[in-house]
Amino acid sequence: MSDVVRWAAFSCVLVPVVLVGYGTSLAGAAGTALGLAAVTGACQVLLRRSERGAARLRTEEPAPHHAPRGEEPGPHHVPRGRVGAGAHRGGRHAGGNTPVD
């Protein structure tokens, strides 16, 4: 169990105890504990899945993200922005240094 999950489990116990100490009903504190436990469990599953995916990516050979120098990009290449005149569109002030009322 990772440190993150240990702290989350600790909070699942501590938060209801504090709530009861401040006058919340036992049913409300129990509901809060169940909710925190459900969120902790979901986060643990997602964290484990993410760690496995990262480990899998580290073992695979990385694919090139772009065409090598000197070669034209493939048909899937989409230009990211405008170049040349008219590249700056819109914005807060569309025209020169005119005052805005």
Side-chain angles (χ1 to χ4, degrees):
M1 190 180 331
S2 73
D3 288 340
V4 173
V5 177
R6 283 190 189 118
W7 278 107
F10 174 70
S11 73
C12 287
V13 174
L14 180 66
V15 168
V17 169
V18 170
L19 287 174
V20 169
Y22 278 94
T24 304
S25 68
L26 287 175
T32 301
L34 287 175
L36 286 172
V39 169
T40 300
C43 289
Q44 183 179 7
V45 168
L46 292 173
L47 183 62
R48 189 177 306 139
R49 179 187 240 181
S50 174
E51 288 172 347
R52 287 180 184 164
R56 191 176 323 119
L57 284 177
R58 274 186 249 128
T59 60
E60 292 178 3
E61 187 174 323
H65 293 289
H66 54 81
R69 290 182 187 233
E71 293 184 19
E72 290 295 319
H76 62 277
H77 177 74
V78 178
R80 294 286 180 195
R82 300 173 124 199
V83 290
H88 298 284
R89 301 177 359 209
R92 187 167 177 201
H93 302 289
N97 290 330
T98 59
V100 179
D101 290 334

